[in-house]
């Protein structure tokens, strides 16, 4: 947790958007949100998708 918090703080102090990779649980996603992590990706949100699968996912959630 200490390292994660330091990385997020460092990124923000450099005016960077911080992206967490490998998020696999709701607990981790919630923790990162509490720490003001800007973006996250990993199996908790979606398994890897093919280009066609991504287009279908985006259409399902109305993401353009």
């Amino acid at each position: 947790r200490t390292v994660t918090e330091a990385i997020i703080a460092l990124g923000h102090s450099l005016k960077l958007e911080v992206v967490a990779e490998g998020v696999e649980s709701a607990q981790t996603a919630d923790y990162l949100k509490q720490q003001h992590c800007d973006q996250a990706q990993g199996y908790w949100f979606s398994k890897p998708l093919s280009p066609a699968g991504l287009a279908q996912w985006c259409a399902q959630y109305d993401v353009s």
Side-chain angles (χ1 to χ4, degrees), residues 23-45:
V23 177
E24 296 185 1
S25 71
Q27 181 181 9
T28 302
D30 289 341
Y31 169 73
L32 291 166
K33 188 174 185 179
Q34 290 171 3
Q35 299 306 313
H36 306 287
C37 186
D38 301 300
Q39 302 286 329
Q41 64 183 35
Y43 277 98
W44 174 248
F45 303 102

Side-chain angles (χ1 to χ4, degrees), residues 42-63:
Y43 277 98
W44 174 248
F45 303 102
S46 176
K47 64 180 183 169
L49 300 171
S50 66
L54 177 60
Q56 185 178 28
W57 185 91
C58 289
Q60 176 184 353
Y61 292 101
D62 194 29
V63 177

